[in-house]
Amino acid sequence: MSFDRSIKIAPSILAADFANFGAEIRAVEAEGADWIHVDVMDNHFVPNLTFGPAMCAAIRPHIKTVMDVHLMISPVDASLEAYAKAGADVITAHAEAGPHLHRTLQAIRALGCKAGVALNPATPLSAIAHVMDLVDLVCIMTVNPGFGGQGFIHSQVDKVRDLRAMIAGRDVHIEIDGGVDAKTAPLVAAAGADVLVAGSAVFRGGSVAEPAAYGDNIRAIRGAAEGATGQMA
Ligand code: DX5
Ligand code: ZN
């Protein structure tokens, strides 16, 4: 995985057909997805339950791009190896998920994965000030995690701008997760984000049988974001 700051659209399979993940992943990748975002929820750290490492391993062969695993679980450390073995390229843990974030990030890198840290809307950037040299990605949650289809929390845009300054020259991705669509994407792209997770805004109106809508949705989000950063749409 080489680093660049171009806009990357990461469809969240939380909004896909749970009975057909393989075909859904192949369809969104064929329609232009850059990464595949995989939401793991434990019904403890967040009030919803999705799937675990066995499902991640099962979908891995269908992903040709980047497998971006978002762990909304606590505790997290004991599970990291299972997600690395399942084939994750990026593993993101929440800063709020435990007291030993530094150890968690070290462990993710030691397993050969890119290390991400996610911050809930109420968590300040100061929570990661002293681990910046251990992160490859910071995920700013623009909803409270647990469910797709929620409204974008606008107060987080300033946080993204502050994070871009805090990252300075480091090769660290800024990922946005929650309520991203063609209206909100330009706000966070202009503030410095490069990875845009989108569930409902990518999968709405389409299906494996009718995947063209996925492509239209991805192009709309990408075009709006690139327009805000001055990149070619
Ligand atoms: C929320 C998840 C998100 C979610 C985004 O807890 O982490 O990845 O799927 O869904 P939308 O794009 O519908 O807000
Ligand atoms: Zn997510």
Side-chain angles (χ1 to χ4, degrees), residues 69-125:
V69 176
H70 178 192
L71 295 179
M72 288 163 273
I73 66 175
S74 177
V76 64
D77 289 4
S79 299
L80 294 173
E81 188 177 0
Y83 290 98
K85 282 193 173 148
D89 296 296
V90 182
I91 297 180
T92 296
H94 269 261
E96 308 84 2
H100 305 296
L101 177 62
H102 185 281
R103 177 184 290 150
T104 303
L105 295 167
Q106 278 186 319
I108 295 171
R109 280 191 169 172
L111 289 162
C113 300
K114 298 288 183 191
V117 58
L119 300 179
N120 284 336
T123 303
L125 290 177

